[in-house]
Amino acid sequence: MATFAVQSKSISRWIRAGLWALPVSWLVTAWSTLDPQPDQAKDPEAWARFVSSDGYQFSHLVGSTAGTILALFGLFALGCSMANSRTGRLAMTSMVTAVAGTALLLVPAVISTFATPAIGKAYLGGNQDVMQLEFPASMTGAFLLGLLLAFVGTVLLGIAVWRSHVLPRWAGALWAAGAVVFYVLGVVLGQATTGSSLPSQAAGAVLMAGAGGWIAWSGSRQATTAPDRIG
């Protein structure tokens, strides 16, 4: 019994750490979207200079790649924190959906981080035909599927938080609202209009970071005030 209690405390610590990874992941995501890249079709040279800069690769390594990894950790923790609540089934289903979608979004994140700078440098080096390169349709399909799953899973997690009676209700509402702003008004609208990030994408990420911090703070307080049941 004592061993089981010690294991439970260890699991709780990992869940708390994961919950704090959520606001961090969304803050670095917001930071990485503050400087939108130029339109590739209208000004290819400005675009090439932008994506071939060291700052671009650093922001994508930290914001897109590392931020996504932290988000995966946080999503697992958020789902597990509600596993025994009244919305446990919804929370776990939403967690799996959001994690699957977020993992798929690592594909374009890695390509943007490593392949895009090479294309920009090749263009600036005189190889203008490199701008005619087309990625396979499967990559577009993976991106769209990942975007859909991440959006649906994230919104449903916000609903699960709202209904859980374990975490703050309004944090769940803020989380869901942030997901709509980030994915729909940010990513989707940006790709459909400018082909780059819009200010709404950073705003949505900030809302998600605020909701994630609220959830993590509440989860940590509950763990601190919980009675010690080792015996």
Side-chain angles (χ1 to χ4, degrees), residues 165-193:
H165 289 191
V166 173
L167 297 170
R169 296 186 70 191
W170 288 104
L174 183 63
W175 176 271
V180 173
V181 174
F182 179 81
Y183 287 107
V184 179
L185 301 180
V187 179
V188 175
L189 187 60
Q191 291 297 316
T193 55

Side-chain angles (χ1 to χ4, degrees), residues 31-32 37 55-66 109 112-113:
W31 166 73
S32 68
Q37 63 188 38
Y56 173 89
Q57 189 166 46
F58 177 75
S59 68
H60 275 64
L61 274 172
V62 175
S64 298
T65 307
S112 296
T113 302

Side-chain angles (χ1 to χ4, degrees), residues 216-228:
W217 178 78
S218 175
S220 297
R221 280 182 57 86
Q222 290 178 14
T224 302
T225 57
D228 186 358

Side-chain angles (χ1 to χ4, degrees), residues 196-219:
S196 184
S197 60
L198 297 176
S200 52
Q201 193 168 336
V206 170
L207 289 176
M208 298 287 287
W214 190 356
I215 290 169
W217 178 78
S218 175

Side-chain angles (χ1 to χ4, degrees), residues 15-221:
I15 289 176
R16 291 198 301 273
L19 290 178
W20 281 112
L22 283 175
V24 175
S25 70
W26 284 105
L27 282 175
V28 296
T29 298
W31 166 73
S32 68
T33 61
L34 289 176
D35 191 12
Q37 63 188 38
D39 192 311
Q40 181 178 356
K42 294 181 179 179
D43 195 347
E45 183 171 349
W47 176 86
R49 293 188 184 281
F50 182 85
V51 301
S52 60
S53 66
D54 293 337
Y56 173 89
Q57 189 166 46
F58 177 75
S59 68
H60 275 64
L61 274 172
V62 175
S64 298
T65 307
T68 302
I69 293 171
L70 284 172
L72 289 170
F73 180 30
L75 289 170
F76 274 116
L78 181 56
C80 291
S81 69
M82 296 184 286
N84 294 323
S85 71
R86 58 188 298 175
T87 57
R89 181 175 297 180
L90 174 62
M92 299 305 288
T93 303
S94 305
M95 177 197 75
V96 171
T97 304
V99 164
T102 304
L104 279 173
L105 291 178
L106 270 173
V107 175
V110 170
I111 291 174
S112 296
T113 302
F114 299 106
T116 303
I119 294 173
K121 289 179 180 179
Y123 180 86
L124 294 175
N127 186 4
Q128 297 187 355
D129 291 339
V130 74
M131 300 296 284
Q132 305 304 318
L133 286 174
E134 292 186 8
F135 291 106
S138 57
M139 193 196 82
T140 302
F143 171 71
L144 293 176
L145 179 60
L147 197 62
L148 176 62
L149 292 176
F151 170 66
V152 171
T154 303
V155 170
L156 290 178
L157 274 172
I159 295 173
V161 171
W162 172 272
R163 296 170 52 190
S164 68
H165 289 191
V166 173
L167 297 170
R169 296 186 70 191
W170 288 104
L174 183 63
W175 176 271
V180 173
V181 174
F182 179 81
Y183 287 107
V184 179
L185 301 180
V187 179
V188 175
L189 187 60
Q191 291 297 316
T193 55
T194 66
S196 184
S197 60
L198 297 176
S200 52
Q201 193 168 336
V206 170
L207 289 176
M208 298 287 287
W214 190 356
I215 290 169
W217 178 78
S218 175
S220 297
R221 280 182 57 86

